């Protein structure tokens, strides 16, 4: 078997061999070599202990060295190539870990062989190695054969593997999304039988796996695997719940199928790196996946066999906040995704009756920096098979976007402010700083959005009229 291996891997192999130590390229980089995919970070394992290979790695990594993983036997280094690109390497001593049944954190113990180290890895496709500098291919568990067949299988008994590290179950569905593989039946059965074990994994680690799944090339397949395995019942229970609900637009499909269709359509609307929503976009993908999770709790059976989901947008936004907070997503991601879910039905009123310019300004102002994502989510959500309705919807959205571009040529929406400021409100109304000032400011901003720019006297007259109606000043 021939390999075109990174020259840095060969060089590092010679450096270790000169000191009498074994070194092998392992895991993802070896898998990617066989798949003819690029890999920028190189993982190695070695017979040497960290204190023994630290001087070698420091000589190699002239542009960077780190030892945050020292307690796990891992050290890292970085080197810049002449073309300006970087190569990062991490080297770990052979390991033979033992796990506590109540924790996925191993009791680190060093091993004495490459084959033993490979046996503790998650899947056979990641349990292959390439000894350097000799380029001897090591594949004790048939990873290359599984790779050619697109199979995910554990090197040892899957129940033992998932008992040791339950996060491997999440990795399995993530690899379905990233590599397009399917999970071998015994491995899939073990996951289904052991899903409760995922509860001992930290929310942050689960979040990272969900994020990688969604940012992959095939998130649709990954979400299906997550649900089919039963893992979603624990980590994202709102998604399998959608399987029970009938979508009001597609009586022959449930909301789960509709959701996956929306996810696919939203991804297709992502842009290149210079566009407004560069691919892959986590916020848009999360919003597409979660946009209808308010439907199960709002479903109502109406007369004549109709089904309604009134206010599922607002209910869904609250559920999104709760779920993403539980998964420890960053606050700005939580805020943005929940707001997209809250606004995802906003455009539908435009089709029945085109908006005034003030309503268009309000739509753009309310969506703010999420405007481009909201439009893409809205387009993706229009999955009707009725060609006439689909055309009407698309043309209406095109018209709205044209109107927004024209209005933006006339005025900077981001700079829209009330025609009176906070200090003037305090002075004119004779009130102290506090909630009333905020209410007055909001009213004047709404007035500005509804009526466009007003001269100063007109704005002051409106402020006084509103304050009188609110009982803040005498008429």
């Amino acid at each position: 078997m021939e390999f075109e291996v990174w020259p840095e891997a060969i060089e590092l192999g010679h450096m270790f061999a000169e000191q009498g130590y074994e070194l092998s390229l392992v895991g993802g980089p070896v898998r990617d070599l066989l798949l003819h995919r690029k890999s920028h970070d190189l993982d190695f394992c070695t017979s040497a202990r960290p204190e023994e290979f630290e001087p070698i790695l420091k000589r190699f990594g002239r542009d960077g060295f780190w030892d945050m993983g020292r307690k796990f036997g891992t050290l890292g280094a970085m080197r810049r190539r002449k073309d300006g690109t970087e190569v990062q390497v991490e080297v770990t001593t052979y390991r033979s870990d033992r796990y506590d049944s109540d924790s996925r954190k191993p009791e680190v113990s060093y091993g004495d062989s490459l084959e033993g180290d490979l046996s503790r890895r998650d899947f056979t496709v990641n349990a292959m190695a390439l000894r350097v500098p000799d380029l001897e291919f090591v594949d004790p568990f048939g990873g290359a054969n599984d790779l050619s067949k697109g199979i995910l299988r554990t090197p040892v008994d899957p129940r033992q593997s998932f008992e040791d590290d339950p996060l491997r179950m999440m990795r399995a569905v993530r690899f379905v999304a990233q590599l397009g593989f399917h999970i071998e039946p015994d491995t899939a059965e073990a996951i289904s039988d052991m899903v409760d074990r995922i509860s001992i994994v930290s929310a942050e680690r689960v979040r990272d796996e969900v994020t990688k799944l969604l940012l992959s090339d095939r998130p649709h397949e990954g979400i299906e695997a997550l649900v089919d395995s039963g893992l979603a019942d624990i980590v994202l229970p709102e998604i399998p719940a959608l399987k029970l609900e009938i979508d009001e637009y597609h009586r022959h499909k449930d909301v789960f199928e509709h959701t996956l269709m929306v996810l696919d359509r939203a991804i297709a609307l992502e842009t290149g790196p210079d566009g407004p929503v560069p691919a892959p976009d986590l916020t848009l993908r999360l919003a597409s996946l979660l946009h209808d999770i308010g439907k199960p709790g709002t479903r109502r059976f109406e007369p004549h066999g109709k089904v309604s989901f009134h206010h599922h947008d607002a209910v869904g936004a609250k559920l999104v906040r709760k779920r993403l907070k539980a998964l420890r997503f960053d606050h700005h991601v939580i805020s943005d995704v929940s707001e997209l879910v809250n606004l995802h039905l906003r455009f539908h009123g435009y089709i029945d009756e085109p908006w005034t310019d003030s309503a268009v300004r309000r739509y753009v102002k309310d969506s703010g920096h999420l405007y481009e994502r909201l439009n893409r989510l809205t387009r993706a959500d229009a999955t009707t098979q009725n060609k006439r309705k689909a055309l009407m919807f698309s043309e209406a959205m095109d018209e709205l976007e044209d109107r927004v571009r024209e209005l933006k040529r006339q005025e900077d929406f981001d700079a829209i402010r009330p025609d009176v400021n906070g200090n003037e409100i305090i002075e004119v109304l004779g009130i102290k700083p506090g909630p009333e000032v905020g209410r007055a400011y909001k009213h004047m901003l709404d007035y500005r959005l509804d009526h466009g720019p007003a001269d100063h006297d007109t704005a002051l007259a409106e402020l006084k009229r509103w304050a009188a109606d609110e009982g803040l000043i005498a008429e």
Side-chain angles (χ1 to χ4, degrees), residues 220-361:
H220 180 133
E221 289 86 342
I223 294 297
E224 284 185 321
L226 190 70
V227 170
D228 291 344
S229 69
L231 286 166
D233 292 331
I234 298 175
V235 302
L236 272 175
E238 296 82 1
I239 301 306
L242 297 175
K243 281 198 165 203
L244 305 178
E245 311 306 319
I246 300 173
D247 180 86
E248 71 269 40
Y249 299 117
H250 298 84
R251 303 282 164 75
H252 62 289
K253 295 181 179 179
D254 60 24
V255 179
F256 176 69
E257 291 174 348
H258 165 76
T259 294
L260 293 181
M261 187 183 302
V262 173
L263 177 61
D264 289 340
R265 286 164 59 90
I267 290 171
L269 292 172
E270 291 174 339
T271 62
D274 297 325
V277 186
D281 188 84
L282 179 62
T283 298
L284 179 60
R285 296 186 183 198
L286 275 170
S288 301
L289 178 66
L290 302 173
H291 77 285
D292 272 348
I293 64 173
K295 282 187 172 179
T298 59
R299 181 175 65 165
R300 298 292 181 270
F301 294 100
E302 307 291 353
H304 309 296
K306 292 186 177 181
V307 180
S308 68
F309 301 94
H310 296 307
H311 308 300
H312 76 268
D313 45 350
V315 172
K318 292 180 181 178
L319 292 175
V320 166
R321 282 188 172 274
K322 183 177 179 181
R323 176 54 53 198
L324 296 187
K325 185 177 180 180
L327 288 172
R328 304 291 194 272
F329 275 92
D330 291 341
H331 67 88
H332 71 276
V333 173
I334 298 173
S335 176
D336 287 352
V337 175
S338 61
E339 185 64 5
L340 283 171
V341 172
N342 187 50
L343 294 173
H344 83 274
L345 297 180
R346 183 77 167 269
F347 172 75
H348 287 253
Y350 188 94
I351 302 170
D352 300 326
E353 183 178 348
W355 294 338
T356 62
D357 285 353
S358 63
V360 172
R361 282 193 291 266

Side-chain angles (χ1 to χ4, degrees), residues 97-163:
D97 298 338
R98 297 180 179 85
Y99 290 81
D100 186 316
S101 61
D102 295 325
S103 172
R104 63 169 297 271
K105 295 180 180 179
E107 298 175 11
V108 178
S109 58
Y110 294 135
D112 56 11
S113 72
L114 173 60
E115 288 75 9
D117 182 274
L118 295 177
S119 72
R120 52 167 288 279
R121 295 180 179 268
D122 52 7
F123 302 105
T124 60
V125 295
N126 293 327
M128 301 178 288
L130 189 65
R131 294 185 186 272
V132 288
D134 298 333
L135 301 187
E136 176 192 348
F137 181 58
V138 181
D139 182 18
F141 304 103
N145 184 54
D146 287 348
L147 193 66
S148 67
K149 295 179 179 179
I151 293 175
L152 287 170
R153 183 170 57 88
T154 55
V156 297
D157 180 86
R159 284 168 175 76
Q160 182 60 53
S161 181
F162 300 144
E163 180 72 23

Side-chain angles (χ1 to χ4, degrees), residues 106 134 184 198 210 296 334 374 393 448 450 455:
D134 298 333
E184 179 265 338
I198 202 66
V210 171
I334 298 173
L374 178 59
F393 188 95
R448 170 70 176 77
D450 289 339
D455 63 66

Side-chain angles (χ1 to χ4, degrees), residues 363-428:
Y363 176 83
V364 178
K365 187 71 174 177
D366 288 350
S367 58
H369 69 282
L370 298 172
Y371 169 77
E372 294 287 354
R373 290 188 180 96
L374 178 59
N375 286 359
R376 282 160 174 77
L377 175 59
T378 303
R379 286 183 184 272
D381 193 30
T383 59
T384 177
Q385 299 300 307
N386 185 310
K387 293 183 178 180
R388 183 183 63 84
K389 288 184 177 180
L391 181 61
M392 287 178 57
F393 188 95
S394 179
E395 288 178 344
M397 179 60 82
D398 290 343
E399 178 185 300
L400 172 68
E401 291 179 338
D402 287 342
R403 290 180 63 188
V404 169
R405 281 189 285 270
E406 178 59 31
L407 288 170
K408 282 187 173 183
R409 276 193 287 268
Q410 301 172 20
E411 182 177 19
D412 181 2
F413 281 21
D414 293 334
I416 291 179
R417 299 288 186 274
D419 295 302
V420 293
N421 60 37
N423 290 332
E424 287 179 299
I425 290 171
I426 291 172
E427 182 180 347
V428 170

